[in-house]
Amino acid sequence: MQLVHDFLEIRLQRYERLPHAPVMTGIKSPTVRHRRLARELRRHRERAGLTTEAASDRLGWSRTKLVRFEAARTRPTPADVGAALDLYGADLPERAALMELARQARQRGWWTAYSDVFQSSFVALEDEASSIHAWHPQVIPGLLQTDAYAHAVISAADENVDRTTWERRLQARLARRALLSRPAAPTLHAVLDEAVIRRSPTTPGVMAEQLLSLVAAARRPNITLQVMPFSAGMHSGLDSGFVVLGYSEPEDPSVAYIETIGGELYVESSIHVDRITMSFERIRNAAWSPGESVAFIAATAKEVSRHGEHA
């Protein structure tokens, strides 16, 4: 048993010395800026005592155009923002701040280079989050996946994926993983179902490497991992997995993200986000402690190293 422990510790030390994803500079997310701009435009219109019908009529816009701006569905040009602020009577400091916000909202983020892979706004919202609370009942979180494990997940989701597409998706995941290593990285608190830890890919060695990676990740100050054991029985996380993204700026409210087979759901209503956050707290409290969880992950890594992925 001691030999197994020593072997695992050597493997872990070697893994921690491997080069990880490159550190990225702190690029601000235009998606988050866009959401803030939309709220500010709506706030200024309401402060001016104008309905969407009255404002759009005086601006010479369709009501749909203004509604889409205020719902963050369409990015306004700086000229659009300037015209609206003139109508709403914004003072010079407010105008200058919102015009700059409008320019930032139209900037391209690093993820746009992978628009063929990232086809939703989640990565853009994740990019500027200061905290990430996640419940994962199916697979290891994308931010913590090794290349080989990610390959297994991608292949399982689409058996016909070609090598070029797979490599493209892997490059995108590598760029995304850099989020947790860059300066002012967000905190990640992830709770994984025990099934996630025990569900191994068919390729030998992949799960052992992935589990060692999780143990190494848990040693980083901005990452907390917990495992929901089978022994917890029924709990509040049985419906689906979810992610709650929090932001350091008070002007940027938290967003909850739920991915389903039928599509993606973004929850921005504070009442519903608070409800999902409370669900995360219940899940966290029902799970093993971080120390117990990492010990379980390490023990499982030993098990698969000794007996193979499907022992």
Side-chain angles (χ1 to χ4, degrees):
M1 188 67 182
Q2 184 60 43
L3 290 175
V4 173
H5 177 273
D6 293 343
F7 168 76
L8 185 68
E9 188 62 29
I10 291 172
R11 289 275 302 277
L12 179 57
Q13 291 172 359
R14 286 177 178 172
Y15 178 83
E16 290 179 320
R17 288 197 295 268
L18 290 176
H20 293 283
V23 174
M24 297 177 62
T25 57
I27 304 171
K28 294 299 184 181
S29 165
T31 298
V32 174
R33 296 293 186 250
H34 184 199
R35 292 171 63 227
R36 186 186 300 178
L37 178 62
R39 290 193 302 275
E40 286 299 311
L41 288 176
R42 182 173 63 251
R43 185 176 69 83
H44 277 73
R45 174 182 58 76
E46 292 172 346
R47 189 177 69 180
L50 295 171
T51 64
T52 53
E53 290 84 355
S56 58
D57 183 63
R58 292 175 63 177
L59 287 165
W61 299 346
S62 68
R63 181 178 178 276
T64 300
K65 177 178 178 177
L66 180 57
V67 168
R68 291 183 67 84
F69 284 166
E70 293 188 358
R73 293 176 185 163
T74 304
R75 286 184 174 85
T77 66
D80 289 330
V81 173
L85 294 178
D86 286 343
L87 174 62
Y88 302 155
D91 60 30
L92 288 178
E94 290 175 327
R95 181 185 175 86
L98 290 182
M99 291 296 288
E100 176 61 24
L101 194 59
R103 285 187 283 270
Q104 292 177 357
R106 297 184 66 82
Q107 292 173 354
R108 292 169 59 87
W110 65 264
W111 54 88
T112 58
Y114 300 98
S115 58
D116 55 323
V117 178
F118 299 133
Q119 297 180 352
S120 73
S121 59
F122 175 75
V123 174
L125 292 170
E126 178 187 67
D127 188 69
E128 201 175 345
S130 59
S131 65
I132 305 171
H133 291 167
W135 159 237
H136 288 271
Q138 301 294 339
V139 296
I140 303 295
L143 288 172
L144 299 176
Q145 291 178 6
T146 62
D147 291 355
Y149 184 91
H151 184 192
V153 171
I154 293 170
S155 299
D158 184 357
E159 295 180 354
N160 298 317
V161 64
D162 58 81
R163 182 169 182 81
T164 300
T165 301
W166 173 79
E167 289 179 347
R168 180 67 174 161
R169 293 180 184 178
L170 194 59
Q171 291 172 358
R173 292 195 182 211
L174 181 64
R176 181 184 167 209
R177 288 203 305 257
L179 173 66
L180 295 176
S181 302
R182 71 190 188 188
T187 58
L188 170 65
H189 191 154
V191 183
L192 316 180
D193 192 81
E194 182 176 344
V196 174
I197 305 302
R198 295 193 178 278
R199 181 178 295 114
S200 297
T202 56
T203 305
V206 171
M207 198 60 184
E209 179 192 36
Q210 176 63 77
L211 295 177
L212 287 171
S213 174
L214 289 180
V215 173
R219 293 178 175 176
R220 295 162 64 179
N222 62 319
I223 298 176
T224 301
L225 297 180
Q226 289 183 257
V227 174
M228 176 69 76
F230 292 147
S231 59
M234 300 296 180
H235 56 80
S236 62
L238 294 176
D239 287 342
S240 66
F242 57 81
V243 179
V244 178
L245 303 173
Y247 301 93
S248 58
E249 298 291 338
E251 297 88 351
D252 300 324
S254 298
V255 179
Y257 169 82
I258 303 171
E259 185 175 8
T260 72
I261 194 169
E264 299 169 323
L265 176 64
Y266 293 88
V267 181
E268 298 189 63
S269 164
S270 60
I271 294 176
H272 292 97
V273 172
D274 288 347
R275 187 176 301 165
I276 295 173
T277 300
M278 290 176 61
S279 180
F280 179 80
E281 288 301 308
R282 290 193 294 270
I283 292 169
R284 181 181 67 81
N285 291 333
W288 280 324
S289 69
E292 293 170 325
S293 298
V294 174
F296 169 75
I297 295 171
T300 307
K302 293 180 185 178
E303 181 182 340
V304 297
S305 294
R306 289 181 59 190
H307 303 296
E309 301 287 280
H310 300 281

